[in-house]
Amino acid sequence: MNRSLLRFGSVVVFFGLLAGTLQAQTAPPPAQNWPAPQEGDYVVRDFHFQSGETLPEVRMHYYTLGKPVKDASGRTTNAVLILHGTGGSGDGFFRPIFAGVLFGPGQLLDATKYFVILPDNVGHGKSSKPSDGLHAHFPQYEYADMIALQHELVEKGLGVNHLRLILGTSMGCMHSWMWGETYPDSMDALMPLACLPVPVAGRNRVWRKMVIDGIRQDPEWKNGDYTTEPRAGLQIAADFLIIAGSAPLHMQEDLPTREAAEKFLDASMKRITSGMDANDFLYAVNASRNYDPSPKLETIRAQVMFINSADDFINPPELGVAEREIKRVKNGRFLLLPASEQTHGHGTHTWAAVWQQHLKELLDRSGK
C-alpha cells in the first residue's frame, strides 16, 4: 500500500470509515502491548429522545479494558471514558497510534491500572442504529440523547459513579463539553480533542447540510427505505469526508502529481463507500444540529485540557473561537498544535504521540 493511503486511513478515523480496511492492508503492525478488550451490551429500557420519540429498548455496545477500583467510600477512582467521533465506534481506538501509545504497561492510561470504557454511541457500531431495521423511522437522536445514554451505560450498566478522565475526539470532543456541564461532579478531568465549544454553524454546518441533502435528494434513497445503498448520495458524503479529514501538508507531499491524486481519490472513494450505510451516516452527521455548550461553560468544574491542530478543516484556527471561549472555563487550558509533519489534520486527535505529554500534564494537574 502506498504511503498516502496509509496516512489517509489514519486521518479519516474521525469518521471511523477507513481505519479497519486500511490497517488490514498495511504491513504487520507492531506487537500489541495492550490487553484484549472485553465486549458487552447494556440495554436501556423505554428511552425517551429529545425529539419526543421513544424506543422500548436501546442497545449500548461497549468495550472495556482493566477493572474498576473503588475507594473506602465506594467512589470509583480509576475509570476513563473515551468517546469516538462521527461514524466511528469504540474499537476504532484499538490501533497502534492510539492504544499502542496509551494503554500498554507503564503508559499514561495503563490498562492494568485504569478501567477504560469505550462505548459505541447510539447510531454507531454495534449499538442500536437506523440500519438495524427501522431505517429512517429510527428516532432522530441528537447529542443530548447520546450523552444521556453514555451516562446510563457508565453509571447503571457498569456501576461507575465517578470518572477520572473523559477524553473525546471530534464528536466525542463535543460530548465531553456536554458531560462537563450536564454532570459537573462526575469527573476529575476533561480532554476535548478537535472541536469547538460553540454551535455547529458557519462552514461546519454548511458542509454537513450538503452531505445530508446529497443523501436525501438522491432518488435511490427512497425516503430512507432503500434496499440498495444510494450511490450518488454516498459519493457526495465521501467527497466531503475526504476533504474534511485531509491534512494539506501530507496530501501535497504524498500526492505530488495529478495521476497520484486521482488514484488516491478513486481508492479512497471505494473504501469509504463500501463501509457506509446512508441512513446511519445521515443521522450521525445531523445529530450535532442542536449542539451548543457555550452558554454554560462557566459551570464546568473539572480540569480541562483542550487541544486542536492548526491544519484542521473542521475547526479552522483563524476563527479564534477556542482561544476566546476557554477563558470562560475556570480550570481550562487550550493548546493549538502547529501544522507539521507530526499533525494529521482533523485526525490528529487519534495520534496520541502528538499530544500525550499534554495528557500527562492534565492527569498530574487533576490528581487527587
Side-chain angles (χ1 to χ4, degrees), residues 40 60-64 80-85 88-94 116-122 124-127 146 149-151 153-154 158 167 171 175 179:
M60 288 292 290
H61 189 76
Y62 62 90
Y63 304 85
T64 61
V80 173
L81 179 64
I82 300 182
L83 301 172
H84 65 74
S89 57
D91 64 351
F93 292 107
F94 297 130
V116 182
I117 306 165
L118 306 105
D120 290 350
N121 280 296
V122 65
H124 295 70
K126 298 178 183 178
S127 291
M146 299 174 93
L149 287 163
Q150 293 163 14
H151 188 260
L153 166 64
V154 168
L158 297 174
L167 184 153
M171 177 179 72
H175 288 177
W179 264 87

Side-chain angles (χ1 to χ4, degrees), residues 242-253:
I242 291 169
I243 295 301
S246 64
L249 289 177
H250 290 308
M251 290 189 83
Q252 190 66 27
E253 176 185 343

Side-chain angles (χ1 to χ4, degrees), residues 30 38 55 71 129 142 153 159 189 199 203-204 209 214 218-219 232 238 290 302 308 310 328 330 345-347:
Q38 301 295 310
L55 279 179
D71 62 19
K129 55 187 180 295
E142 58 180 273
L153 166 64
R203 187 175 72 183
N204 198 356
K209 187 62 163 59
D218 185 337
N290 293 323
N308 284 346
R328 301 171 50 206
K330 180 180 178 181
H346 189 72

